[in-house]
Amino acid sequence: MKCENCTKKECSKKKKTESEDLVEPLSVTDGEEKSEFHRLAEAGIFLSDCLACGNCVTSEEGARIFAQNQKEFFKVLNLNKKCDSSLHKLVVASVSPQSVPYFAVKFRLSVCEAARKICGFLKSIGAHHVLDTTISADFSILETQKEFIHRFRRQTQDERAFPMFTSACPGWVQYVERVLGNTVTPHICTAKSPQQIMGSLVKGYFASKKNLSPDKIFHLTIAPCYDRKMEALREDYYTELYNCRDVDCVLTSEIMQIMEQRNISVKEIEESSLENVFGETSCGFARHESTSSDGYLAHVFRHAAKELFDMDVQEISYKTIKNKDFLEVCLEKDGETVLRFAAAYGFRNIQNMVLKLRKGKFHYHFVEVLACPGGCLDGKGQAKTVDGKLERTLLREMEEVYSHVPVQSPESNPQIQTLYADWLEGAESQKTRQTLHTKITASAQPTSRLDMKW
């Protein structure tokens, strides 16, 4: 199977070799038909899922990515059963909101019911705490808003202030750093993604409240995307003092493989409510203003309209440009367009965007960028059909059930202000900057190519 993302002749051969090296199939009885989850496990991380056709992932990184699987998770769970308490770790799982709708649709549950089932299952196999990650997305959005306002007010001093691209998608960020290089890196927002802010919360705030050092916590995240595994391995998310990472293991729909291997029916799972980082039970399950992602465009657009132009935006009108995965939103004042935002999903749209940027013809202030067409709900970590794509009907169902989840604005979350004050020493503090932001750095030898095909 040839890698669809590049024109290199050796890619097909390389892809086969790397996938063979990385994949250790789950055992299936001879003659038994493999379920979609076994097929997913055997698929591993293909180069067609990689955003730079093999240039992004070294063999060493590939091995470390594969180490982030259910075996690593169960290794910790088994050590927790041993008598030697020095080997014990507090197991904390964080559940991404975009991972839950797939589970809900597959088992005909509401998103809230599905979240409670996932929580109950993780606790039944040994997780001590299962956390809602909405708060980490709140932080990421708020920090993105602040950075946008800062860039807008100093745009006359910095010609590369705009467009500003979101940094929440790890595949997009990796592609920029390792392929596009310094042409694009200055345009990327420095706010950490929700997953990595959750890592900081768990290994920082939550650990201190439990009187534990970060290395005594095993932090598992449930995500819709394989690229989250690679993101967790970034060097800036590793603490040398404690020899640990902010996120120790990332599982996608692999969590459903575990259920299947154990012959556990969803009906048998006792529901349990998600918790927040304060150790309190989370009464509900909330999302941000989007049916497929965390809604950076909508939240930043409204905030910028109010902060910069004193305009309250109620309804946002999206204009489709060329295809459904490239949307535009504009704000007009006194007959002049003062804000021009866009959402670009999928690498065909990203390629066109980068080409226009290089030609000086991409005139947007802000772009929410996601590598997967259709957004995070269509993440590569969700179980796919044989051709590697999520069925359109299934995706529409996921969007439908997700749309019924109550919307929560980051500003309305009272816990955010508590954490800014008690944990981060203020919203504008140096600690906030160090904890909630990262560095976007181009590789020494980026492999940018204008003729790359998607």
Side-chain angles (χ1 to χ4, degrees), residues 147-308:
E147 183 167 331
F148 179 81
I149 298 301
H150 176 72
R151 284 177 181 246
F152 193 93
R153 287 174 173 162
R154 60 186 290 269
Q155 60 183 301
T156 55
Q157 289 83 42
D158 184 1
E159 62 180 12
R160 295 193 291 185
F162 293 129
M164 174 176 147
F165 298 125
T166 55
S167 55
C169 174
W172 156 243
V173 171
Q174 170 126 320
Y175 175 68
V176 169
E177 290 182 320
R178 300 199 180 185
V179 180
L180 301 178
N182 289 324
T183 303
V184 182
T185 50
H187 296 278
I188 303 290
C189 176
T190 62
K192 286 182 182 179
S193 72
Q195 172 176 285
Q196 295 310 133
I197 288 180
M198 199 66 197
S200 297
L201 277 165
V202 169
K203 293 296 182 85
Y205 181 81
F206 194 75
S208 67
K209 291 299 180 183
K210 295 291 182 180
N211 293 315
L212 294 171
S213 62
D215 59 309
K216 298 303 290 182
I217 290 181
F218 182 84
H219 184 203
L220 166 74
T221 65
I222 309 299
C225 176
Y226 281 127
D227 293 324
R228 294 292 173 195
K229 294 175 183 277
M230 190 68 179
E231 180 183 34
L233 295 172
R234 288 176 65 97
E235 289 305 314
D236 42 344
Y237 302 144
Y238 169 77
T239 304
E240 187 174 2
L241 178 62
Y242 295 103
N243 187 30
C244 71
R245 297 190 176 279
D246 295 341
V247 175
D248 297 293
C249 183
V250 179
L251 297 181
T252 58
S253 53
E254 295 152 297
I255 195 68
M256 298 176 77
Q257 297 168 25
I258 299 172
M259 291 176 57
E260 188 177 78
Q261 289 168 342
R262 295 184 167 220
N263 295 318
I264 294 176
S265 166
V266 172
K267 293 181 179 179
E268 300 172 13
I269 300 173
E270 184 178 345
E271 293 185 12
S272 180
S273 296
L274 296 170
E275 303 169 55
N276 59 35
V277 292
F278 297 97
E280 303 165 341
T281 299
S282 180
C283 297
F285 191 75
R287 66 178 175 90
H288 295 104
E289 191 175 339
S290 173
T291 57
S292 61
S293 64
D294 281 312
Y296 285 79
L297 186 155
H299 290 291
V300 178
F301 185 79
R302 283 199 175 91
H303 178 76
K306 182 64 176 177
E307 182 74 14
L308 298 170

Side-chain angles (χ1 to χ4, degrees), residues 261-384:
Q261 289 168 342
R262 295 184 167 220
N263 295 318
I264 294 176
S265 166
V266 172
K267 293 181 179 179
E268 300 172 13
I269 300 173
E270 184 178 345
E271 293 185 12
S272 180
S273 296
L274 296 170
E275 303 169 55
N276 59 35
V277 292
F278 297 97
E280 303 165 341
T281 299
S282 180
C283 297
F285 191 75
R287 66 178 175 90
H288 295 104
E289 191 175 339
S290 173
T291 57
S292 61
S293 64
D294 281 312
Y296 285 79
L297 186 155
H299 290 291
V300 178
F301 185 79
R302 283 199 175 91
H303 178 76
K306 182 64 176 177
E307 182 74 14
L308 298 170
F309 304 102
D310 196 29
M311 296 177 66
D312 293 305
V313 177
Q314 300 302 323
E315 294 293 326
I316 295 180
S317 298
Y318 295 92
K319 180 181 179 182
T320 301
I321 309 294
K322 291 188 176 180
N323 58 71
K324 64 181 179 62
D325 280 330
F326 195 99
L327 304 175
E328 181 182 274
V329 178
C330 294
L331 180 71
E332 293 190 358
K333 186 174 184 179
D334 300 328
E336 177 186 0
T337 299
V338 291
L339 288 178
R340 190 184 299 273
F341 280 37
Y345 298 168
F347 264 76
R348 286 186 174 85
N349 284 323
I350 290 173
Q351 182 189 34
N352 291 331
M353 178 181 75
V354 172
L355 288 172
K356 289 181 179 180
L357 177 66
R358 285 174 167 158
K359 294 177 182 179
K361 297 181 179 180
F362 193 72
H363 306 299
Y364 288 92
H365 292 100
F366 179 94
V367 187
E368 180 183 291
V369 186
L370 297 173
C372 294
C376 295
L377 285 186
D378 195 19
K380 291 287 186 178
Q382 314 278 35
K384 305 285 179 175

Side-chain angles (χ1 to χ4, degrees), residues 9-255:
K9 294 180 180 179
E10 69 271 18
C11 182
S12 179
K13 181 179 179 181
K14 182 178 179 183
K15 173 180 174 180
K16 181 179 179 182
T17 302
E18 291 189 1
S19 63
E20 287 173 349
D21 289 343
L22 297 180
V23 175
E24 182 176 334
L26 298 174
S27 58
V28 180
T29 306
D30 291 341
E32 181 183 347
E33 184 179 355
K34 296 178 182 178
S35 72
E36 61 181 306
F37 305 116
H38 283 100
R39 290 197 296 269
L40 176 65
E42 293 179 347
I45 302 171
F46 288 150
L47 291 185
S48 59
D49 299 330
C50 176
L51 306 178
C53 304
N55 292 321
C56 280
V57 183
T58 65
S59 57
E60 179 184 354
E61 288 169 333
R64 287 193 293 161
I65 290 172
F66 182 62
Q68 292 211 5
N69 58 24
Q70 54 179 281
K71 285 186 178 180
E72 185 69 16
F73 178 38
F74 280 106
K75 178 182 176 181
V76 173
L77 295 181
N78 289 331
L79 285 173
N80 280 350
K81 297 176 183 177
K82 304 293 183 181
C83 295
D84 187 355
S85 60
S86 66
L87 300 177
H88 293 182
K89 292 189 177 185
L90 186 75
V91 178
V92 179
S94 301
V95 180
S96 166
Q98 289 82 27
S99 296
V100 182
Y102 178 78
F103 193 94
V105 170
K106 289 295 290 184
F107 296 106
R108 298 301 169 191
L109 303 168
S110 71
V111 172
C112 293
E113 289 172 331
R116 291 194 293 268
K117 288 286 188 180
I118 292 173
C119 180
F121 174 67
L122 288 170
K123 287 187 174 181
S124 73
I125 61 175
H128 300 100
H129 301 278
V130 183
L131 307 182
D132 178 6
T133 65
T134 304
I135 193 168
S136 61
D138 287 342
F139 269 124
S140 185
I141 292 169
L142 291 174
E143 291 301 308
T144 300
Q145 289 177 174
K146 287 194 292 186
E147 183 167 331
F148 179 81
I149 298 301
H150 176 72
R151 284 177 181 246
F152 193 93
R153 287 174 173 162
R154 60 186 290 269
Q155 60 183 301
T156 55
Q157 289 83 42
D158 184 1
E159 62 180 12
R160 295 193 291 185
F162 293 129
M164 174 176 147
F165 298 125
T166 55
S167 55
C169 174
W172 156 243
V173 171
Q174 170 126 320
Y175 175 68
V176 169
E177 290 182 320
R178 300 199 180 185
V179 180
L180 301 178
N182 289 324
T183 303
V184 182
T185 50
H187 296 278
I188 303 290
C189 176
T190 62
K192 286 182 182 179
S193 72
Q195 172 176 285
Q196 295 310 133
I197 288 180
M198 199 66 197
S200 297
L201 277 165
V202 169
K203 293 296 182 85
Y205 181 81
F206 194 75
S208 67
K209 291 299 180 183
K210 295 291 182 180
N211 293 315
L212 294 171
S213 62
D215 59 309
K216 298 303 290 182
I217 290 181
F218 182 84
H219 184 203
L220 166 74
T221 65
I222 309 299
C225 176
Y226 281 127
D227 293 324
R228 294 292 173 195
K229 294 175 183 277
M230 190 68 179
E231 180 183 34
L233 295 172
R234 288 176 65 97
E235 289 305 314
D236 42 344
Y237 302 144
Y238 169 77
T239 304
E240 187 174 2
L241 178 62
Y242 295 103
N243 187 30
C244 71
R245 297 190 176 279
D246 295 341
V247 175
D248 297 293
C249 183
V250 179
L251 297 181
T252 58
S253 53
E254 295 152 297
I255 195 68

Side-chain angles (χ1 to χ4, degrees), residues 391-405:
E391 293 178 357
R392 290 184 180 181
T393 302
L394 179 59
L395 182 59
R396 283 196 295 268
E397 286 186 64
M398 289 165 62
E399 291 173 344
E400 174 64 22
V401 297
Y402 195 52
S403 69
H404 294 303
V405 176

